[in-house]
Amino acid sequence: MATPEKKQGETSDQHATTQVKGTLAQDYVTVVGASYLGFIANMRGQRGNMMNFINQGIRQIRSYPPSTPSYSIQRAFLIFKDEYDPKLLAEVKKIVTERYGAEYREYDSISQLVDFVATRKRRGREIKQMDFFSHGVVGSIELGYELDKRDSYRLRDAQARMFTPDAFAYGAKIYSYACRTGLGINANLKVAENEDPHFELSLAQIMADATGATVWAFPRRSLYDQTYGTDEDRAAVDKAPAKQEADKAASRAYRKSLSDYQRRLTAHRAASKNPDAQLPNESPPVQPTKTLSEKDAALLKQAQGREHYNDTLGYPLDAEGAVHGVRSGNTPDGVPKKLCEYKPAK
């Protein structure tokens, strides 16, 4: 971790200030886990859930500062590839590299992620932010949940302790959107009032202590249910095409009325030999107000993009990323229902 330099104030040591001197190029890293697709869902072509991690990862990569030509800032998209269709991965790579200027890597073992972190200092780089989108259980981020390669994809305490501080920038943040990364006991439905959740034993705290970064994680399960929008969003999308067509019709009618009005106005001014004359008892037509809001238009465009990829690839890939982020689930009860902050103990 790049340490802050202390600059002495001119008055006294009491007024000394801390300044961070950036010496290394910085990485903003999204890690996307492999996704399990059940047999029935696969047979029915219901692949929306399988795409949750990828679409959330694209949403996240968009939110980072843009990569710079000098690579002083670099976005990185790291995906664990097992069970993902190669054609899908090729399109994901195209989106994140060409559209969002990110480095793209496919991984097939947790050791590759450990190596990526370990080589930051040697490459003159440091991680400013890292985000995980994956399944999880207490004590591990399951980057290959329910897959044959789950053991070699799993991020546990041993791997987390290999994430050394010199790979992370001063003030770095790590976000885990996997289930229960912030919980230290194997609670399923509820943590009783007299039961200690042992946050200090959680994988989130272990990562914070190992990296020196602040970690944000859920002590409860996480929900990806708003990846494609809320019920309200979906209802708006259903109504959007009709509103869009109505707005187009109203716009066409307005342009025709305006053209007719301007033609009559020109003739009237010529007849009256007055360039400033106005038509008697007639005002210019008023431009209609759109019934389709910008927000709903964007939701419709996004839904149409997913539909296109679903038709051509067989997967609802979203080049814009998820509509909404990951939120806290309901279980286990008895712990905070939000992302919680875990600071390094040392």
Side-chain angles (χ1 to χ4, degrees):
M1 175 183 294
T3 55
E5 290 187 349
K6 189 175 184 182
K7 183 177 179 180
Q8 184 66 41
E10 294 183 358
T11 52
S12 69
D13 188 63
Q14 179 183 358
H15 298 95
T17 60
T18 299
Q19 294 186 344
V20 178
K21 182 179 180 181
T23 56
L24 300 177
Q26 294 188 332
D27 291 330
Y28 290 78
V29 184
T30 287
V31 182
V32 173
S35 188
Y36 170 73
L37 182 64
F39 176 77
I40 299 299
N42 190 33
M43 289 293 293
R44 293 176 177 174
Q46 298 171 335
R47 295 173 174 175
N49 286 345
M50 185 181 188
M51 294 299 298
N52 282 340
F53 301 150
I54 288 178
N55 287 331
Q56 288 288 346
I58 293 173
R59 181 179 190 266
Q60 185 62 51
I61 213 81
R62 287 184 61 196
S63 74
Y64 294 150
S67 298
T68 59
S70 65
Y71 298 103
S72 60
I73 294 176
Q74 176 67 49
R75 295 168 168 175
F77 189 96
L78 316 179
I79 185 167
F80 283 75
K81 67 179 184 178
D82 195 31
E83 293 295 321
Y84 284 128
D85 189 325
K87 292 184 295 183
L88 169 64
L89 291 176
E91 192 62 32
V92 172
K93 179 180 180 180
K94 182 179 179 181
I95 290 170
V96 301
T97 58
E98 297 181 10
R99 188 165 182 170
Y100 300 118
E103 179 182 2
Y104 173 90
R105 296 189 185 187
E106 294 175 9
Y107 286 164
D108 202 32
S109 169
I110 192 62
S111 63
Q112 292 176 286
L113 178 60
V114 172
D115 289 344
F116 174 87
V117 174
T119 58
R120 293 306 88 194
K121 185 177 181 181
R122 177 166 56 83
R123 295 176 181 272
R125 309 195 65 82
E126 57 188 3
I127 296 170
K128 185 65 175 178
Q129 184 170 324
M130 177 176 273
D131 297 83
F132 289 88
F133 298 95
S134 178
H135 289 292
V137 298
V138 174
S140 66
I141 296 175
E142 296 288 315
L143 295 159
Y145 184 73
E146 293 289 343
L147 302 179
D148 291 342
K149 296 183 178 181
R150 56 186 175 272
D151 291 339
S152 61
Y153 275 31
R154 183 174 292 125
L155 173 58
R156 295 178 58 92
D157 56 339
Q159 291 77 29
R161 289 190 172 97
M162 296 179 188
F163 293 169
T164 55
D166 58 10
F168 290 83
Y170 179 76
K173 295 179 181 179
I174 299 173
Y175 293 85
S176 173
Y177 297 98
C179 292
R180 297 184 291 176
T181 305
L183 188 61
I185 60 173
N186 194 19
N188 186 27
L189 298 178
K190 185 174 182 178
V191 176
E193 289 185 14
N194 60 349
E195 191 174 15
D196 189 342
H198 284 294
F199 297 128
E200 78 281 1
L201 301 179
S202 68
L203 181 62
Q205 188 61 55
I206 291 171
M207 286 197 292
D209 293 342
T211 63
T214 297
V215 177
W216 292 84
F218 293 114
R220 298 192 184 202
R221 289 177 173 83
S222 51
L223 287 179
Y224 285 73
D225 60 329
Q226 295 184 354
T227 296
Y228 304 106
T230 62
D231 290 341
E232 181 181 344
D233 292 333
R234 286 186 282 273
V237 168
D238 289 341
K239 297 175 182 177
K243 290 183 177 181
Q244 191 175 58
E245 289 305 313
D247 288 343
K248 288 179 180 178
S251 179
R252 288 193 297 269
Y254 165 73
R255 291 196 301 271
K256 184 178 185 305
S257 295
L258 182 62
S259 177
D260 292 344
Y261 172 83
Q262 289 174 335
R263 185 171 58 254
R264 293 194 303 274
L265 179 62
T266 299
H268 175 68
R269 286 174 173 175
S272 63
K273 297 181 180 180
N274 181 358
D276 297 321
Q278 299 296 320
L279 289 171
N281 303 319
E282 185 175 357
S283 300
V286 178
Q287 187 170 0
T289 301
K290 289 185 177 181
T291 60
L292 182 64
S293 67
E294 290 186 6
K295 175 187 174 183
D296 290 351
L299 287 171
L300 176 62
K301 182 179 179 181
Q302 210 166 344
Q304 290 171 337
R306 291 194 301 270
E307 185 176 356
H308 166 74
Y309 279 120
N310 200 46
D311 291 341
T312 57
L313 283 176
Y315 302 92
L317 175 63
D318 197 328
E320 300 294 328
V323 177
H324 298 292
V326 185
R327 61 188 185 130
S328 176
N330 295 321
T331 58
D333 197 8
V335 290
K337 190 178 181 180
K338 62 179 182 178
L339 277 174
C340 293
E341 183 180 28
Y342 299 78
K343 293 184 176 181
K346 53 186 177 181

